Amino acid sequence: MRRSFALPRMLGHALGLLTCLALPMTVQADSCPPPGQWLQPGGERLDSAALFANLAERDVVLLGEQHDRMDHHRWQLHTLAGLHALRPDMVIGLEMLPREAQPALDAWVAGELDEAEFLDASNWRSAWGFDPELYLPILHFARLNQVPLKAINVTPELRGRLAGEGWDGVPEDERFGITAPAEALPAYRERLAAVHAQHPSAGDDEASLERFIAAQLVWDRAMATGLAEATAEGVLAVGLIGQGHLQYEHGVPHQLNDLDVDAHATLLPWAVEVDGCELPPAGLAHAVFTLAETPAQAQPPMQLGVYIVPNEAGIEVRGIQSGSVAESAGLEEGDIIMRAAGEALARPADLTQRVQRQPPGTLLPLEVERNGERREILARFPPSDGGSDTR
């Protein structure tokens, strides 16, 4: 269990690498199309009206993203609005939250929670970690139009169990009825192997790579299953998912095919430059939308690298990510974190919020109880050029 826990946490960081890696077979162009165009990768400009009419006939539309890019989320919002005009019978599937958060999503759409209450009820900051301001416009769009929101992810703990113990080792009712995934396509395995090799805490043996790929397939299958469940009601299921899960039809689209959901399309944002650019390669997606290149994004929030649960005395550490700030500081499973920088901690979100406010390159004092004894542990966060985007 301890080993399988660390793997999905590492995978979250590695997928960030996957979405940022230079794509193979890109086509260099003397000039780029202007922003605001729909393109067929490897082909010509698409007529937006015809494109959306085609998308409205699909069962699933997948909208890719780089999680920390506000322009990607703005593009998703406008694309959702265009699809909703043609298919108001829509469900929006969110990679951001595991299935346990579904009651919070239902209450949000029903107008029963304000923003702060929703973030607390969904455990957003611990479950996802990226700034909720990136996603709140989309969440408000769903509530305004009464579009159901569906949590299609699973917790890192369940991913770890399935990747480590195997599908037969986890009862069906504990995995939400999610079935075993189709095998990874050869090209997908090559991409994942490249990502695995770049991660500093990855092992260099074949078993480590296979666990890594197994965890990725759990992630893909869980999201594909959630979207397939939504289509069973005859609605258009639109998934908001990291682009590394979607490129070249390798991840979630491949699992949708295995689930007999063939009428799907992947849309991705594509940044263009003023003076020359790389055009999207053929087969990357059904269509891409050109965006003006934006300045580099701000440093992601600091992360401690622990799995934590509530405890009467504070917050209990249930897992430590390999290579994390927590591991370097000497935190251990079973520790009870009672205070951070002198602030009492009553719930996991308290620690998450405090850590995310931590400036790069600084120390955060933690008051910890271990085996009945209290001690202070100093968590040293990396400088701005060495921050981590793991959760």
Side-chain angles (χ1 to χ4, degrees):
M1 286 294 290
R2 293 179 182 177
R3 173 179 290 183
S4 63
F5 163 79
L7 180 63
R9 293 289 178 175
M10 181 188 80
L11 182 60
H13 174 74
L15 281 176
L17 294 174
L18 181 60
T19 59
C20 296
L21 284 174
L23 294 167
M25 299 175 59
T26 49
V27 180
Q28 189 71 30
D30 295 330
S31 62
C32 270
Q37 308 294 318
W38 286 101
L39 303 176
Q40 180 182 12
E44 303 297 326
R45 175 181 171 182
L46 297 171
D47 176 76
S48 59
L51 172 64
F52 273 70
N54 178 275
L55 294 172
E57 299 298 320
R58 305 288 177 131
D59 294 325
V60 175
V61 174
L62 304 166
L63 304 184
E65 64 177 66
Q66 187 173 320
H67 302 311
D68 61 351
R69 292 285 297 267
M70 178 60 84
D71 55 347
H72 286 195
H73 300 298
R74 288 171 176 157
W75 164 75
Q76 287 175 327
L77 175 59
H78 288 279
T79 304
L80 284 166
L83 291 170
H84 185 259
L86 299 175
R87 287 288 301 273
D89 56 330
M90 174 190 291
V91 170
I92 301 174
L94 301 175
E95 176 193 359
M96 300 81 220
L97 293 173
R99 282 160 168 78
E100 287 84 349
Q102 190 60 50
L105 288 172
D106 294 340
W108 166 260
V109 173
E112 298 171 0
L113 303 174
D114 62 22
E115 290 181 2
E117 290 169 335
F118 166 73
L119 295 176
D120 184 55
S122 65
N123 199 25
W124 178 281
R125 291 181 175 87
S126 294
W128 189 235
F130 290 94
D131 189 346
E133 292 296 332
L134 294 164
Y135 296 89
L136 280 170
I138 292 173
L139 298 177
H140 278 285
F141 168 84
R143 177 148 77 176
L144 180 67
N145 292 283
Q146 289 296 287
V147 175
L149 294 167
K150 185 176 179 64
I152 59 174
N153 212 332
V154 293
T155 63
E157 297 70 51
L158 180 54
R159 283 200 299 271
R161 290 181 64 193
L162 290 169
E165 301 174 23
W167 291 80
D168 293 337
V170 181
E172 185 175 358
D173 60 343
E174 295 181 18
R175 49 183 160 90
F176 303 95
I178 301 169
T179 54
E183 291 187 11
L185 295 169
Y188 196 31
R189 288 185 60 90
E190 291 180 10
R191 289 177 61 209
L192 293 176
V195 174
H196 180 264
Q198 290 192 28
H199 198 280
S201 63
D204 58 1
D205 59 291
E206 188 67 22
S208 174
L209 173 61
E210 290 305 319
R211 290 193 301 270
F212 179 77
I213 293 175
Q216 170 72 7
L217 293 179
V218 172
W219 205 327
D220 292 337
R221 187 66 169 201
M223 293 190 288
T225 299
L227 295 168
E229 291 169 350
T231 64
E233 303 172 4
V235 304
L236 173 63
V238 183
L240 308 187
I241 295 172
Q243 59 192 18
H245 293 279
L246 307 179
Q247 294 163 343
Y248 297 102
E249 304 283 291
H250 286 167
V252 174
H254 177 56
Q255 299 300 328
L256 283 170
N257 290 338
D258 188 65
L259 291 167
D260 296 323
V261 180
D262 301 319
H264 55 78
T266 296
L267 308 179
L268 298 176
W270 187 267
V272 295
E273 302 174 0
V274 175
D275 300 320
C277 69
E278 291 181 336
L279 296 178
L284 175 66
H286 182 78
V288 301
F289 186 79
T290 56
L291 297 172
E293 188 176 37
T294 57
Q297 300 299 300
Q299 173 78 8
M302 291 293 103
Q303 304 292 341
L304 189 58
V306 291
Y307 168 51
I308 48 180
V309 297
N311 184 284
E312 292 181 0
I315 298 169
E316 182 179 350
V317 177
R318 287 283 183 87
I320 304 289
Q321 179 183 346
S322 177
S324 66
V325 170
E327 184 181 63
S328 298
L331 281 170
E332 298 180 1
E333 292 186 33
D335 284 349
I336 307 298
I337 305 176
M338 307 180 70
R339 293 178 178 273
E343 299 178 11
L345 305 174
R347 55 185 182 168
D350 295 339
L351 178 60
T352 301
Q353 293 173 32
R354 183 61 189 82
V355 167
Q356 290 182 345
R357 298 197 306 268
Q358 189 74 14
T362 60
L363 292 171
L364 176 63
L366 302 172
E367 184 179 335
V368 173
E369 181 180 295
R370 180 182 298 168
N371 300 324
E373 298 182 359
R374 294 195 182 186
R375 63 183 68 196
E376 183 178 72
I377 289 179
L378 296 178
R380 183 183 298 275
F381 290 87
S384 58
D385 61 350
S388 170
D389 66 352
T390 53
R391 292 186 289 283

